[in-house]
């Protein structure tokens, strides 16, 4: 193994620790994983059942044509964005599409601008694909938003990608149309730069109004934006491994070539289920979001009672990212909390030390119990 060997995701590490302690009979509230605790909708399960009766052969590397059409229809409905068939690539989750895009496009010396707090996988992926992550820090006072001023300071002629994830993991940050246009004005000056618009949490929002994605807010960027989404979070289909990227045909072609030499395609059965997810009723999305909102508010009520915590109310996704005042070592604190019976992920895993990430994709009573344990431990160690 070389010294470049990537380490296991810190999120999975903490989740594993929590699972091992539970297996030993310890009472641990696990708030580590970003995995919906719901099941996929019934019509998705039914489509998978009937798929089992079909011949499940290889599919095209860019996905079953009917799935690509369902994605095109979905993006027209959600954003009024029209993608041609050769502008859609399907992969094993959004994660593989992002990885494929980096490996297909990064050359040594290329930089990728990643706003912190970030999803822990982005910088590791960039390094594995030969690029250099350039981390820019955002401020909790500004809802962890990337601003044009921060962005302009990070861009140069070597910038190949800017990553924009909204609602953000772990921040929950959303951008208005005007804010996206402000970022687009800066990006106008750097025509060699692609934008990765990671919209995987776009259905899980707590603010009124439609979701605005960058390529729709700033049509000039349509030609160099890769819009990434998938069924994992919205449809509670994490293990089914279906995600997609939509963008310029030459980039999509390169992503598809990587896919074809890698695992050929994602599971044909999962693709049939994803077609059902995208084409079937969508009303459960709002119902589930209402449940997430209730959990968010219940957790916030407990955390806000603790004087050493500062918590920004997330606009979307299902994470809380409190700052622990005066904290010097968040990994140590996460271990202390684990011993006290609540598993969290230290903020340093997301490029923002001094914070903790708590997932509220879990039952409300358990979540509240975990938050109370957290507060009690902090108060006992203040
Ligand atoms: N992007 C973000 C911001 C995520 O949080 C995740 C999963 O946690 C992914 C992408 C990957 O999603 P998928 O399950 O579709 O690979």
């Amino acid at each position: 193994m070389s010294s470049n060997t990537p380490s296991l995701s810190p999120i999975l590490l903490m989740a594993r620790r929590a699972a091992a302690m539970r297996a030993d009979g310890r009472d641990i509230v696990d708030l580590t994983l970003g995995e919906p605790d719901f099941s996929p909708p019934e019509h998705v399960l039914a489509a998978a059942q009937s798929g089992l009766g079909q011949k499940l052969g290889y599919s095209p590397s860019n996905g079953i044509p009917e799935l690509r059409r369902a994605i095109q229809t979905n993006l027209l409905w959600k954003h009024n964005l029209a993608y041609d068939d050769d502008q859609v690539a399907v992969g094993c989750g959004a994660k593989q599409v992002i990885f494929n895009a980096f490996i297909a496009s990064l050359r040594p010396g290329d930089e990728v601008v990643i706003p912190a707090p970030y999803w822990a996988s982005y910088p590791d992926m960039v390094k594995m694909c030969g690029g250099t992550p350039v981390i820019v820090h955002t401020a909790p006072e500004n809802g962890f938003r990337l601003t044009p001023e921060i962005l302009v300071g990070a861009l140069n002629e070597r910038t190949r990608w800017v990553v924009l994830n909204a609602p953000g993991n772990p921040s929950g940050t959303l951008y208005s149309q005007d804010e996206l246009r402000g970022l687009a004005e800066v990006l106008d000056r750097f025509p060699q730069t692609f934008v990765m618009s990671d919209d995987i949490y776009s259905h899980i929002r707590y603010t009124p109004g439609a979701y605005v994605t960058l390529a729709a807010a700033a049509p000039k960027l349509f030609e160099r934006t890769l819009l990434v989404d998938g069924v994992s979070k919205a449809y509670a289909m994490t293990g089914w491994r279906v995600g997609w990227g939509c963008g310029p045909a030459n980039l999509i072609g390169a992503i598809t070539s990587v896919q074809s030499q890698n695992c050929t395609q994602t599971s044909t059965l999962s693709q049939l289920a994803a077609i059902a997810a995208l084409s079937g009723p969508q009303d459960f999305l709002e119902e589930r979001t209402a449940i997430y909102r209730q959990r968010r508010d219940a957790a916030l009520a407990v955390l806000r009672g603790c004087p050493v915590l500062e918590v920004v109310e997330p606009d979307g996704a299902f994470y809380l990212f409190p700052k622990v005042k005066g904290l010097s070592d968040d990994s140590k604190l996460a271990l202390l909390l684990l011993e006290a019976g609540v598993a969290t992920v230290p903020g340093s895993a997301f490029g923002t030390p001094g914070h903790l990430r708590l997932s509220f994709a879990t039952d409300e009573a358990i979540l509240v119990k975990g938050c109370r344990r957290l507060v009690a431990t902090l108060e006992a160690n203040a």
Side-chain angles (χ1 to χ4, degrees):
M1 294 283 165
S2 81
S3 57
N4 283 337
T5 306
S7 44
L8 187 71
S9 147
I11 304 168
L12 294 183
L13 260 179
M14 283 305 285
R16 273 192 190 178
R17 279 202 170 116
M21 288 171 77
R22 283 172 111 168
D24 278 349
R26 299 278 302 272
D27 168 22
I28 305 288
V29 173
D30 186 358
L31 305 180
T32 56
L33 287 183
E35 172 149 38
D37 55 330
F38 299 111
S39 301
E42 279 302 321
H43 58 275
V44 171
L45 299 177
Q49 288 286 352
S50 78
L52 285 173
Q54 299 178 24
K55 180 177 184 298
L56 295 169
Y58 287 129
S59 79
S61 290
N62 58 344
I64 298 175
E66 201 187 340
L67 176 55
R68 295 202 304 274
R69 275 197 298 279
I71 293 165
Q72 289 168 287
T73 307
N74 183 264
L75 291 176
L76 205 54
W77 164 67
K78 264 171 91 174
H79 309 304
N80 205 20
L81 289 177
Y83 289 93
D84 293 332
D85 186 50
D86 61 356
Q87 293 186 294
V88 181
V90 174
C92 306
K95 193 173 209 172
Q96 194 190 32
V97 174
I98 296 169
F99 189 89
N100 286 353
F102 285 150
I103 209 150
S105 61
L106 289 175
R107 305 284 167 267
D110 282 355
E111 297 184 356
V112 179
V113 174
I114 303 173
Y118 48 68
W119 178 43
S121 291
Y122 298 132
D124 278 340
M125 285 192 191
V126 168
K127 285 188 238 163
M128 286 169 81
C129 296
T132 306
V134 175
I135 309 301
V136 292
H137 293 278
T138 61
E141 303 75 51
N142 190 26
F144 294 111
R145 275 179 187 77
L146 177 66
T147 61
E149 296 72 32
I150 298 174
L151 181 61
V152 80
L155 292 170
N156 62 54
E157 67 289 347
R158 293 184 303 279
T159 312
R160 192 71 173 135
W161 286 94
V162 171
V163 175
L164 201 64
N165 169 219
N169 171 8
S171 65
T173 303
L174 268 171
Y175 291 85
S176 68
Q177 175 152 303
D178 283 348
E179 285 164 344
L180 290 173
R181 288 188 176 152
L183 297 174
E185 261 175 48
V186 175
L187 285 158
D188 258 357
R189 288 180 255 155
F190 297 87
Q192 83 291 354
T193 301
F194 286 116
V195 186
M196 176 84 67
S197 179
D198 182 346
D199 296 3
I200 194 82
Y201 295 99
S202 55
H203 280 294
I204 305 169
R205 284 175 290 111
Y206 313 112
T207 52
Y211 179 73
V212 193
T213 193
L214 182 72
K220 274 199 283 185
L221 286 182
F222 180 78
E223 272 309 316
R224 51 193 176 98
T225 298
L226 183 69
L227 186 160
V228 178
D229 204 342
V231 293
S232 287
K233 313 291 177 178
Y235 301 94
M237 293 171 68
T238 45
W240 299 68
R241 309 312 299 133
V242 182
W244 49 87
C246 301
N250 53 358
L251 176 65
I252 293 296
I255 289 174
T256 302
S257 299
V258 173
Q259 181 78 32
S260 72
Q261 298 296 2
N262 178 330
C263 65
T264 307
Q265 50 154 122
T266 192
S267 142
T268 303
L269 184 61
S270 293
Q271 293 188 63
L272 296 175
I275 294 169
L278 289 178
S279 321
Q282 306 290 310
D283 36 336
F284 70 94
L285 292 170
E286 260 182 45
E287 289 158 22
R288 290 183 175 182
T289 298
I291 296 172
Y292 286 131
R293 176 203 293 270
Q294 197 172 312
R295 293 172 177 177
R296 176 198 71 170
D297 293 346
L300 276 173
V302 178
L303 300 177
R304 289 208 161 138
C306 176
V308 293
L309 291 177
E310 276 171 18
V311 206
V312 175
E313 181 178 288
D315 286 339
F318 38 58
Y319 308 101
L320 290 162
F321 197 56
K323 182 180 162 93
V324 185
K325 287 186 214 161
L327 181 63
S328 57
D329 187 338
D330 54 8
S331 301
K332 218 163 135 186
L333 175 63
L335 291 177
L336 180 78
L337 290 168
L338 190 57
E339 279 305 318
V342 56
T344 60
V345 186
S348 43
F350 310 95
T352 312
H355 290 247
L356 294 168
R357 190 190 78 170
L358 321 179
S359 163
F360 53 91
T362 196
D363 172 82
E364 186 176 325
I366 296 175
L367 172 70
V368 167
K369 183 168 146 188
C371 291
R372 288 201 178 121
R373 279 186 188 170
L374 184 147
V375 170
T377 311
L378 287 175
E379 288 178 355
N381 287 277

